[in-house]
RNA sequence: GUGAGCGUAGCUCAAUUGGCAGAGCACUGGACUGUGGCUCCGGUGGUUGAGGGUUCAAUCCCCUUCGCUCACCCCA
């Protein structure tokens, strides 16, 4: 084959797209009920935006971005996530001047150059939501509630919400020092990866899955003993409101997240039905990012859902049967009949009836037997087939066949459009 | 970036110690000159991912390469 889709990207074909539409529709419905509006952000941004927002030393920025130089010599990057762009747009358009609270959602493709595997692609789709302008714990609980409600509506049963608070710019550095101190003494017994993490992202050592490390880390300090009073009160508040909402959660003081901008609340939703990449959504609070980007001191929280992972969990039930299969098929015998068929097809389509014909004009294509045309009608699963034959045409008639009842009748050709509309429309 | 597994028809998969590349589905024609679904019969469709080696003979064994998949890492 001459051309193939490149590694890590894929086509979403009919049969799948219905599921995507179903999910997107429910997301829009629910988000708008919760007061969110859609924002459409560019797929490309200046590289510096992501480098600054996501963090210079994160894997995403260090080795996973699709970056290139444009004609003006500027470094441009295909977005690896959505939050940085939304924050940029929020500041650029001064959205904080219009309302004290701004709720935005977005959906679309993201790009990261990673080795593909189950649930991980180089072009992948996210649905994300962000709230700006409120630091009350109830807003954290609110956005998590919305997310859980969406998953429930989509019929997910095996999901788990994991919750943590990473502290703020005051108490996190203190914790970090305590952790580094603890790790430094134990480097020889930690795995190779964790020795690397020690240098680059020590918080990640906390959730290393290797046996030796997780054994050692049992005694490590975690966020639970390290938060400042305000941060502890904040996470307690989030929990309080989650209880009111009846949302089940698991506190995981070792839950670290890979993006530098998170402060205080972080959360992740996992599903047992997925492979190694078992997170279908993740998010958290980022109270300093707006300011870091040159905006006012405004706190914010958001999440992103991995579409491919979500799609793989959605049951292909009856509600996903494609809506585009035709209801009427027109079989024609001969050139004149084909022209009549073409005209009737046009008319009933204008009346909103999904329909197909056999396109059997004998001047250009080999004669198609009525049998083969009927077979095609059966394959399409239509309710009615219109048979236009030479004999009937001479008398100004066509045959309307009810496929389910296997009965048919002759109808005047002038009346056929209305007859079909009456039966189907 | 590291490791493992797999590449045969459009799709899902067979092929005995190495011995003429097959089946189901799909598509198409017929049995039934102008009537679908069920049944039966026929047909189209292949550089066995590619290149090299061993052999009388390679889908099968060896080497190289490309692709896919899964896992590590990391993340949605």
């Amino acid at each position: 084959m001459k051309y193939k889709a490149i590694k890590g990207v894929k086509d979403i074909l009919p049969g799948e797209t219905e599921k995507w539409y179903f999910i997107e529709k429910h997301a829009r419905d629910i988000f708008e009920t919760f007061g969110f509006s859609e924002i459409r952000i560019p797929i490309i941004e200046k590289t510096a935006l992501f480098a600054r927002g996501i963090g210079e030393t994160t894997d995403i920025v260090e080795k996973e971005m699709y970056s290139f130089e444009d004609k003006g010599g500027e470094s441009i990057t295909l977005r690896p996530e959505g939050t940085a762009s939304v924050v940029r747009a929020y500041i650029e358009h001064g959205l904080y001047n219009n309302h004290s609270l701004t709720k935005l959602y977005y959906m679309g493709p993201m790009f990261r150059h990673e080795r593909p595997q189950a649930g991980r692609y180089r072009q992948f789709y996210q649905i994300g939501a962000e709230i700006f302008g409120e630091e009350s714990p109830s807003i954290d609980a609110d956005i998590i509630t919305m997310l859980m409600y969406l998953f429930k509506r989509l019929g997910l049963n095996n999901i788990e919400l994991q919750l943590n608070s990473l502290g703020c710019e005051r108490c996190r550095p203190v914790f970090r020092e305590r952790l580094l101190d603890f790790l430094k003494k134990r480097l020889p017994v930690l795995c190779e990866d964790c020795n690397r993490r020690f240098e680059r992202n020590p918080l990640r050592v906390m959730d290393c899955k290797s046996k030796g490390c997780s054994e050692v880390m049992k005694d490590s300090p975690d966020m639970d003993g390290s938060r400042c009073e305000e941060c502890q009160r904040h996470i307690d508040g989030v929990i309080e409101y989650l209880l009111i909402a009846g949302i089940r959660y698991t506190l995981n003081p070792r839950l670290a997240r890979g993006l530098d901008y998170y402060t205080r609340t972080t959360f992740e939703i996992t599903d047992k039905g997925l492979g190694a990449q078992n997170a279908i959504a993740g998010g958290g609070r980022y109270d300093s990012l707006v300011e870091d980007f040159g905006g006012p001191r405004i706190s914010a929280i958001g999440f992103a859902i991995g579409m491919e992972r979500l799609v793989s969990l959605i049951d292909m039930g009856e509600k996903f049967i494609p809506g585009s299969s035709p209801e009427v098929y027109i079989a024609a015998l001969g050139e004149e009949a084909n022209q009549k068929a073409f005209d009737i097809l046009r008319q009933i389509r204008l009346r909103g009836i999904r329909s197909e014909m056999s396109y059997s004009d004998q001047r250009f294509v080999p004669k198609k037997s009525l049998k083969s045309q009927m077979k095609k009608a059966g394959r399409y699963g239509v309710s009615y087939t219109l048979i236009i034959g030479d004999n009937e045409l001479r008398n100004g008639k066509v045959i309307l066949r009810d496929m389910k009842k296997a009965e048919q009748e002759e109808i005047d050709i002038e009346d056929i459009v209305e007859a079909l509309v009456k039966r189907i429309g």
Side-chain angles (χ1 to χ4, degrees):
Chain A
M1 200 174 305
K2 196 166 181 183
Y3 294 111
K4 296 183 62 175
I6 61 180
K7 188 196 284 286
V9 315
K10 63 168 187 174
D11 303 303
I12 301 149
L13 301 175
E16 273 291 280
T17 48
E18 290 83 3
K19 269 202 224 179
W20 284 65
Y21 180 76
F22 177 81
I23 292 169
E24 288 163 0
K25 184 170 148 300
H26 281 288
R28 287 176 194 283
D29 278 0
I30 290 170
F31 292 180
E32 281 169 24
T33 303
F34 276 74
F36 287 73
S37 308
E38 182 175 9
I39 181 171
R40 300 206 180 190
I41 45 177
I43 285 179
I44 51 174
E45 297 274 4
K46 289 181 187 175
T47 301
L49 178 81
F50 298 121
R52 182 75 195 284
I54 298 167
E56 300 278 1
T57 62
T58 56
D59 276 11
I60 295 176
V61 171
E62 274 193 345
K63 48 191 192 196
E64 296 174 0
M65 294 205 300
Y66 279 94
S67 299
F68 62 94
E69 227 177 64
D70 74 0
K71 309 251 185 202
E74 189 158 44
S75 181
I76 304 292
T77 293
L78 264 56
R79 62 183 187 196
E81 59 114 45
T83 300
S85 298
V86 175
V87 171
R88 195 222 76 233
Y90 176 74
I91 298 168
E92 186 170 337
H93 303 287
L95 297 184
Y96 44 84
N97 291 319
N98 301 334
H99 310 280
S100 57
L101 201 59
T102 305
K103 301 181 185 180
L104 301 169
Y105 74 89
Y106 60 86
M107 39 186 75
M110 307 294 164
F111 305 84
R112 292 181 201 172
H113 189 99
E114 299 178 89
R115 193 75 160 264
Q117 72 183 74
R120 197 171 71 185
Y121 305 92
R122 288 183 174 178
Q123 174 174 344
F124 60 101
Y125 290 75
Q126 287 190 335
I127 298 179
E130 320 281 353
I131 301 179
F132 296 91
E134 182 54 67
E135 64 176 333
S136 162
S138 52
I139 211 81
D140 301 44
D142 199 37
I143 200 170
I144 291 171
T145 300
M146 178 173 83
L147 183 58
M148 297 303 275
Y149 180 40
L150 172 62
F151 289 153
K152 189 180 170 192
R153 177 90 77 87
L154 294 173
L156 269 52
N157 295 317
N158 288 317
I159 57 173
E160 188 184 49
L161 167 65
Q162 300 210 47
L163 190 65
N164 191 18
S165 169
L166 297 176
C168 60
E169 58 256 85
R170 278 212 317 274
C171 57
R172 192 178 349 182
V174 177
F175 165 66
R176 196 185 148 93
E177 281 311 310
R178 284 184 60 204
L179 182 65
L180 283 175
D181 204 48
F182 174 89
L183 294 175
K184 207 180 295 171
K185 297 169 193 150
R186 294 165 175 82
L187 280 179
V189 292
L190 293 174
C191 71
E192 208 177 303
D193 283 331
C194 282
N195 272 271
R196 204 160 34 78
R197 290 183 183 116
F198 175 78
E199 297 295 336
R200 301 189 36 219
N201 193 350
L203 294 194
R204 291 231 71 93
V205 180
M206 292 194 299
D207 62 356
C208 179
K209 283 152 214 133
S210 94
K211 267 222 172 80
C213 294
S214 52
E215 194 64 30
V216 171
M217 295 309 289
K218 268 186 187 164
D219 307 318
S220 82
D222 60 34
M223 270 319 291
D224 269 353
S226 311
R227 287 180 204 107
C228 64
E229 201 184 323
E230 285 86 353
C231 285
Q232 191 58 48
R233 268 216 311 276
H234 190 273
I235 186 66
D236 289 345
V238 173
I239 290 166
E240 206 173 289
Y241 280 103
L242 285 177
L243 286 172
I244 292 172
I247 305 284
R248 284 207 186 143
Y249 63 92
T250 304
L251 269 183
N252 180 357
R254 299 176 187 285
L255 175 69
R257 299 205 49 81
L259 289 70
D260 278 1
Y261 52 66
Y262 287 123
T263 56
R264 292 192 166 171
T265 312
T266 56
F267 54 93
E268 190 169 288
I269 289 142
T270 55
D271 189 295
K272 295 184 183 68
L274 294 169
Q277 311 303 321
N278 65 351
I280 42 176
R285 180 163 276 289
Y286 48 97
D287 288 338
S288 6
L289 189 60
V290 176
E291 193 175 22
D292 289 348
F293 274 8
R297 169 81 199 180
I298 286 176
S299 44
I301 182 169
F303 65 74
I305 302 169
M307 266 300 264
E308 288 81 358
R309 294 177 189 177
L310 185 51
V311 166
S312 74
L313 292 172
I314 298 288
D315 218 353
M316 201 64 166
E318 280 181 25
K319 53 192 169 199
F320 300 113
I321 290 172
S324 58
S325 61
E327 301 157 295
V328 172
Y329 187 82
I330 306 180
L333 296 162
E335 291 169 28
E336 194 189 341
N338 197 67
Q339 290 179 1
K340 282 280 182 239
F342 187 81
D343 189 37
I344 293 169
L345 180 72
R346 179 184 62 83
Q347 291 183 57
I348 61 177
R349 279 177 173 170
L350 290 178
R351 302 294 293 271
I353 294 173
R354 296 194 300 269
S355 42
E356 280 298 336
M357 65 176 278
S358 61
Y359 300 104
S360 58
D361 190 311
Q362 288 167 32
R363 285 171 299 179
F364 304 105
V365 297
K367 184 185 176 190
K368 289 180 187 166
S369 69
L370 180 59
K371 181 188 177 60
S372 75
Q373 296 184 52
M374 290 305 292
K375 203 180 252 178
K376 189 73 85 184
R379 288 274 153 68
Y380 274 126
V382 295
S383 309
Y384 295 96
T385 299
L386 207 58
I387 301 166
I388 306 179
D390 305 338
N391 300 341
E392 292 79 8
L393 213 50
R394 274 193 287 276
N395 303 322
K397 302 269 190 186
V398 294
I399 296 171
L400 178 59
R401 182 172 176 84
D402 183 320
M403 299 297 274
K404 306 241 157 59
K405 292 183 189 156
E407 290 167 0
Q408 60 190 43
E409 57 184 311
E410 282 195 0
I411 292 182
D412 285 342
I413 197 159
E414 285 81 18
D415 302 331
I416 189 61
V417 173
E418 289 307 324
L420 280 169
V421 170
K422 195 173 151 205
R423 281 176 174 73
I424 292 167

